[in-house]
Amino acid sequence: MDVTRGFFITLDGLSASGKTTVAPLVAALVNGVHLTDGTLPTFPRMRVEVDAAGILPARFHWWMMANHIKSETARALTESGRTVVVESYFPRTIATHRAMGHGCVPEYPEGALVPNVPILLEVDERVRQERLRRRAELGTLSSWHRREEPNVAESSRVYRAFGLLRVDGTDRTPDEVARSIADTVRSSARIALRKAIPHDRN
């Protein structure tokens, strides 16, 4: 039996912590659905327009809307027995925008699907800064990421407030990190299964 069926797994973390690389690997290992921002067919065009406006509250509320849609899509999938993996969920949106000065509350919104296994991906800061440097050279580091960086301590405080499960990817390959997360998911699922099955006390 696949003990991970119906589980909801999220991967959050600072920019360049490895979320985008690791998420599909985790989904493959747990036989799950990697739910991406492609859930919104017009996402790329809308993101460009919202980012170009440069309005922090507008960007925050737009990303929260996108997360709510991912939440409901994940709810439907998990209720049908599928396991779902999402990268950059509500904690990432709230952490990023608080670091940039938005006064949002570090908690899941009412009615949002709360993950069974909420992962915080971390890497050594020197490793992360080198990845950011390479992105900057390639022109793929957005102005919003640049705005967050001076205050990533606030982002980290938000992640702690959410109580995410920390996974350190320093000196590990993406496959190794994904296997570690998959093991955590399976362990959590087994615990949940034991709690769900009534025990005969006779």
Side-chain angles (χ1 to χ4, degrees), residues 41-196:
T42 59
F43 183 91
R45 177 181 59 78
M46 292 171 64
R47 180 175 184 175
V48 169
E49 293 179 0
V50 171
D51 282 350
I55 304 170
L56 183 62
R59 185 179 191 271
F60 168 73
H61 288 292
W62 182 78
W63 273 104
M64 292 294 281
M65 173 274 298
N67 283 322
H68 275 291
I69 292 176
K70 284 190 282 189
S71 170
E72 291 311 302
T73 304
R75 190 190 309 276
L77 287 166
T78 56
E79 287 178 353
S80 73
R82 301 299 305 275
T83 286
V84 178
V85 179
V86 164
E87 61 186 272
S88 297
Y89 196 45
F90 287 106
R92 174 66 178 147
T93 295
I94 294 170
T96 300
H97 289 83
R98 277 185 67 93
M100 291 189 287
H102 193 278
C104 39
V105 180
E107 63 186 19
Y108 293 104
E110 183 177 354
L113 183 63
V114 177
N116 303 99
V117 184
I119 298 293
L120 174 63
L121 279 181
E122 298 180 314
V123 291
D124 183 87
E125 185 61 14
R126 289 173 296 178
V127 173
R128 197 178 73 84
Q129 289 299 325
E130 175 58 22
R131 292 176 181 176
L132 290 175
R133 185 190 65 78
R134 290 199 297 268
R135 290 184 185 181
E137 289 180 349
L138 294 170
T140 59
L141 187 65
S142 78
S143 61
W144 295 102
H145 289 143
R146 296 177 192 275
R147 287 177 64 175
E148 178 191 12
E149 278 302 309
N151 199 22
V152 290
E154 177 62 20
S155 300
S156 296
R157 282 191 287 270
V158 171
Y159 292 135
R160 287 195 296 272
F162 274 98
L164 308 181
L165 305 174
R166 299 169 62 181
V167 173
D168 192 340
T170 306
D171 296 327
R172 302 163 79 184
T173 67
D175 284 329
E176 290 171 337
V177 175
R179 284 196 294 271
S180 175
I181 294 171
D183 287 344
T184 298
V185 171
R186 294 186 184 104
S187 176
S188 298
R190 284 192 292 269
I191 292 171
L193 186 62
R194 285 198 295 270
K195 290 180 178 179

